[in-house]
Amino acid sequence: MSESAGRKFSLLPMLGHTKGKRSPVTCALKCDNACSGEVCNSSSNSYFRDIASATLSRRSALGFGAAGALAVVFGSPVTSAEPAAAGGPGLSAAAKNGFDKSKLKFDAIAPVDAAVDAFTVPEGFTWQPIIRWGDPLFNDAPDFDPDHQSAAAQARQFGYNNDYTDILPIDGSKDRRAVLFTNHEYTNENIMVPAGYDAAETRGIGRAAHGLTVVELERKNKNKPWGYVKGAPLNRRFLTDTTYELTGPAAGSALVTTVADPSGRAIKGTLGNCAGGTTPWGTILSGEENFNGYFASAGTSAADKRYGLTSKPTARQWELDDPRFDTRNPGYTNESNRFGWIVEVDPFDPTSTPRKHSAMGRFKHEGANVIVARSGHVVAYMGDDERFDYLYKFVSKGKYQAGDSTAARRNNMNLLAEGDLFVAKFSGDSPAAEIDGSGKLPADGAFDGSGEWLPLVVGGKSMVAGMSLDEVLVYTRLAADKVGPTKMDRCEDVQPSLHTGKVYVVCTNNSDRGKTGKEGATEVNPRALNRDGHIVEITETGDQTAAKFNWNLLMVCGDPAKNNSTYFAGFPQDKVSPISCPDNVAFDSVGNLWISTDGAPSSIGYADGLFKVTLDGAERGRVEQFLAVPRDAETCGPIIHDEERTLFVAVQHPGEEGSFEAQHSAFPDYVGAGAKPKPGQARIPRPSVVQVFRGDA
Ligand code: FEO
Ligand code: CA
Ligand code: CA
């Protein structure tokens, strides 16, 4: 499959709609116009008003004080913090000391207009990128040259659109060396290369800018900012031809074999890598999210429809270069079944084979976050980021072993390959479930209720009538449809607090809720036409592996000054930073929640940002904006090293609504109009991992 050289790369076939709430470029390139298309979830499960739930004895989230709330947590057998973070089972000492003890003090910034191309931090702080798109990773890698890009150069450079990010210390380095992991979710060819750039080369650059990066960092001491180390031993790019081992029950299944891989166990590449998680054993998990946008397909089967696979040409048209990207080609029917998994990477072993874990199910995985249960089983929480899709939980068959011994490491590295898979069903009992603009809360004063984890796979057996084990794992959405889970408002990050064991489910928005023919507001998704998103707080009833849970809403997002359907756990609405479209979350050392957003420019009109939310005490529900990202960008991958008064974000798709010739952003190099770029600088935006630190650092 080839195409005549010199064909202009054009976005036109990609732009499915131009007046949506979200940037049309994001819609086309990131999620294959998921909002304008129709993913066929015709199941009729879990309509709130159809649920006759038992009335629970419960507290009002508005009236429950800090001491009581903490006592519930501390006295509960629920929690078992991740050993690496908390030094063994039980709550972290930091959390016991209180949620206001973080060293990272700041005065919240004012919201920044969405049109401003600036990276804004609180007074007293400064920022600089650690690594930017195109930065050379290896000694033989060329410097970034935006006017002379090539696929070969890109393959040796930092990729595009960094999303999930973490920084792990390198043992024995006395805090001076670390390894940075980042995934590269998608590409914005419209601002990456000049119009008219060779089309085949452009496709190659795009492919090489996808995948993952591992790169070593160094600093003089822990009061100094990090820099990346070109040519360091652990540096690695994972590209579309990198081999991933498929593990678990669906490995080798007839549903995942292709003519190029009759074994059904060796998959080339990872796609749409969005959020992720870091395991207690030092590996990184990455979610394959909008993989459907990379495949042309028949689009006629139930599975194709449920996963958004269509017959139209793909946005990037890689099917012109490689037959596997068109599943109608002989021998490649199953190629798209080899994406949509959770990927696990060992960033400390550059020779290791990354893996995709079939036991964790296949859907549009936002990410996965792991906690070790009191029983020793590992529990992973996972969201399927599609409107009206589901929340999942994986429980490992094996148990976590503490320590760094070879035996422990071998044991832990296999924990995600085998286990049970569940999908969440929420019940609420309020007849006044919808926040309708009156600001009225349910009659009992709280959005809360109970829930259960419905089994899909238990003990290596399918629990879904009429579906085999490998069918449940490969077509997890279809399997879940059959058991009646709750349709959610796009679960992004789902993360347990290692301080309390409570799980935070970030529902970014759902513009379709309540539209004609669609499910309306439910107590756990309490707003029709949910533009701004909300966050659910789950408390498992017992060990983290429990079959049942209780839940409440932590917040219903928006700009309280303009919208009285917001809710911040009862905290005064005139004292919070406006926040919309929560996406990724992280915790600081004492257990406060930090939220990065994606979509605020098109909802509340402000730039996306990073926000701290106090989770307990008198200020529970207080939202404080820490930073704002440049024009057209979203904030991803927050890492909060508050003990060092430093934090990190991945700035994704700055300036994405511009063009190469008329850029919207010059982040992070900010070369002014008419100024001559310094070496390594460019007038085009470069997605980057940024560190923010005290100005005196
Ligand atoms: Fe890639 Fe769900 O955000
Ligand atoms: Ca995300
Ligand atoms: Ca996002």
Side-chain angles (χ1 to χ4, degrees):
M1 297 244 175
S2 65
E3 185 189 24
S4 59
R7 175 180 158 177
K8 289 186 177 181
F9 185 84
S10 169
L11 275 174
L12 288 178
M14 308 175 183
L15 300 180
H17 58 126
T18 56
K19 290 187 178 173
K21 291 207 176 278
R22 191 64 202 270
S23 148
V25 176
T26 295
C27 292
L29 296 179
K30 181 170 194 167
C31 54
D32 197 32
N33 291 309
C35 296
S36 60
E38 197 60 54
V39 168
C40 180
N41 181 355
S42 56
S43 61
S44 58
N45 58 64
S46 205
Y47 199 129
F48 164 72
R49 291 183 177 85
D50 294 335
I51 299 168
S53 63
T55 301
L56 296 173
S57 167
R58 55 212 173 124
R59 65 184 174 89
S60 159
L62 293 171
F64 200 74
L70 280 171
V72 168
V73 173
F74 291 153
S76 157
V78 166
T79 57
S80 177
E82 175 247 17
L91 283 161
S92 72
K96 286 177 180 169
N97 286 339
F99 284 69
D100 60 347
K101 294 294 191 291
S102 173
K103 287 182 182 172
L104 191 68
K105 307 292 186 198
F106 67 97
D107 294 324
I109 65 166
V112 175
D113 188 274
V116 173
D117 186 38
F119 190 93
T120 307
V121 297
E123 196 171 339
F125 287 81
T126 190
W127 66 275
Q128 65 184 52
I130 295 177
I131 191 165
R132 306 162 295 180
W133 165 51
D135 277 338
L137 292 169
F138 308 98
N139 288 329
D140 65 353
D143 287 339
F144 182 58
D145 181 350
D147 296 319
H148 303 92
Q149 298 178 60
S150 69
Q154 177 65 78
R156 309 294 284 165
Q157 297 167 333
F158 191 63
Y160 206 77
N161 273 347
N162 29 220
D163 196 306
Y164 183 73
T165 302
D166 205 357
I167 296 172
L168 303 175
I170 293 177
D171 280 351
S173 70
K174 297 182 178 170
D175 291 327
R176 290 202 292 264
R177 289 180 83 87
V179 64
L180 170 76
F181 170 93
T182 297
N183 55 26
H184 304 290
E185 184 177 12
Y186 72 108
T187 44
N188 291 93
E189 283 83 350
N190 56 308
I191 55 173
M192 292 170 70
V193 296
Y197 214 68
D198 179 84
E201 191 68 30
T202 298
R203 294 195 300 272
I205 292 166
R207 274 195 297 280
H210 279 68
L212 318 171
T213 292
V214 171
V215 60
E216 285 189 40
L217 308 181
E218 70 176 0
R219 61 183 176 181
K220 289 196 177 111
N221 61 58
K222 63 190 219 174
N223 297 316
K224 298 292 182 191
W226 292 102
Y228 87 92
V229 185
K230 181 180 170 184
L234 298 181
N235 292 5
R236 187 175 182 187
R237 278 301 317 278
F238 299 71
L239 300 165
T240 50
D241 62 355
T242 300
T243 298
Y244 291 72
E245 178 195 358
L246 185 64
T247 76
S253 156
L255 298 176
V256 294
T257 55
T258 68
V259 65
D261 174 30
S263 78
R265 296 172 186 275
I267 299 169
K268 296 290 187 197
T270 185
L271 293 169
N273 300 76
C274 193
T278 301
T279 68
W281 49 96
T283 60
I284 303 283
L285 307 179
S286 175
E288 295 186 318
E289 192 190 41
N290 294 308
F291 67 89
N292 58 310
Y294 295 86
F295 296 95
S297 300
T300 51
S301 69
D304 277 3
K305 290 178 179 173
R306 191 66 178 84
Y307 283 86
L309 291 149
T310 73
S311 60
K312 67 181 193 270
T314 67
R316 295 175 186 80
Q317 298 190 286
W318 294 353
E319 63 269 29
L320 297 174
D321 305 319
D322 186 337
R324 72 182 172 120
F325 292 111
D326 187 333
T327 65
R328 295 167 296 192
N329 286 326
Y332 290 102
T333 305
N334 292 333
E335 186 66 20
S336 57
N337 291 348
R338 294 148 64 86
F339 297 82
W341 303 105
I342 289 293
V343 169
E344 184 175 15
V345 172
D346 182 353
F348 294 101
D349 181 358
T351 68
S352 59
T353 300
R355 292 169 299 158
K356 301 190 181 192
H357 291 306
S358 72
M360 302 174 85
R362 175 173 165 271
F363 41 92
K364 291 190 185 178
H365 274 287
E366 172 73 15
N369 284 286
V370 162
I371 187 168
V372 180
R374 184 170 292 266
S375 60
H377 296 285
V378 159
V379 177
Y381 294 92
M382 307 178 288
D384 184 345
D385 181 7
E386 187 95 58
R387 291 168 301 168
F388 301 111
D389 251 292
Y390 310 131
L391 167 68
Y392 294 85
K393 173 165 117 170
F394 170 85
V395 180
S396 68
K397 179 183 180 188
K399 294 184 178 180
Y400 176 75
Q401 288 180 21
D404 275 341
S405 70
T406 304
R409 191 157 179 77
R410 190 181 301 127
N411 173 77
N412 297 337
M413 293 290 280
N414 287 317
L415 287 173
L416 302 179
E418 197 173 359
D420 298 341
L421 186 64
F422 304 88
V423 63
K425 180 177 183 177
F426 292 79
S427 300
D429 67 355
S430 171
E434 185 175 349
I435 299 186
D436 59 3
S438 68
K440 204 168 75 180
L441 298 177
D444 64 356
F447 295 92
D448 60 359
S450 60
E452 59 184 311
W453 294 105
L454 306 172
L456 298 173
V457 174
V458 173
K461 293 190 169 56
S462 165
M463 303 298 285
V464 182
M467 293 183 80
S468 64
L469 178 60
D470 55 346
E471 286 172 335
V472 170
L473 296 175
V474 174
Y475 302 125
T476 306
R477 282 183 167 183
L478 294 171
D481 289 345
K482 292 189 169 200
V483 303
T486 298
K487 295 177 176 181
M488 303 297 290
D489 285 352
R490 295 187 53 201
C491 295
E492 300 259 19
D493 260 2
V494 183
Q495 191 152 337
S497 166
L498 303 181
H499 299 276
T500 66
K502 290 176 187 280
V503 182
Y504 294 84
V505 183
V506 178
C507 299
T508 192
N509 57 53
N510 182 353
S511 51
D512 271 6
R513 186 167 289 279
K515 281 190 177 169
T516 304
K518 307 285 187 184
E519 182 177 279
T522 67
E523 193 166 348
V524 75
N525 295 286
R527 198 153 51 186
L529 308 178
N530 182 5
R531 188 193 68 171
D532 295 303
H534 60 280
I535 298 179
V536 184
E537 185 179 56
I538 285 177
T539 305
E540 301 274 23
T541 56
D543 185 272
Q544 212 83 30
T545 62
K548 298 195 171 174
F549 58 85
N550 293 315
W551 65 269
N552 61 272
L553 293 191
L554 174 70
M555 64 168 69
V556 181
C557 301
D559 182 351
K562 299 176 188 162
N563 176 351
N564 62 1
S565 69
T566 55
Y567 171 72
F568 300 93
F571 194 79
Q573 307 217 10
D574 59 348
K575 292 187 171 57
V576 300
S577 298
I579 180 172
S580 181
C581 302
D583 189 340
N584 303 134
V585 295
F587 295 91
D588 63 25
S589 68
V590 299
N592 294 304
L593 184 69
W594 291 71
I595 302 171
S596 60
T597 66
D598 172 20
S602 54
S603 58
I604 57 176
Y606 295 125
D608 278 310
L610 179 69
F611 303 77
K612 174 189 171 186
V613 183
T614 303
L615 286 185
D616 231 315
E619 300 204 323
R620 174 176 158 85
R622 181 180 183 188
V623 181
E624 299 167 273
Q625 184 166 3
F626 183 85
L627 62 77
V629 292
R631 186 175 176 189
D632 303 347
E634 73 169 274
T635 325
C636 295
I639 309 168
I640 316 300
H641 289 178
D642 55 306
E643 289 172 304
E644 297 181 349
R645 297 190 299 170
T646 302
L647 47 74
F648 309 83
V649 290
V651 178
Q652 200 188 58
H653 58 76
E656 74 169 347
E657 294 186 64
S659 64
F660 190 89
E661 291 71 26
Q663 297 283 3
H664 279 192
S665 175
F667 170 84
D669 299 325
Y670 291 112
V671 178
K676 187 171 165 51
K678 297 174 191 165
Q681 287 187 322
R683 279 198 187 86
I684 68 175
R686 302 172 71 178
S688 303
V689 177
V690 172
Q691 56 195 325
V692 184
F693 42 90
R694 296 292 309 186
D696 56 1

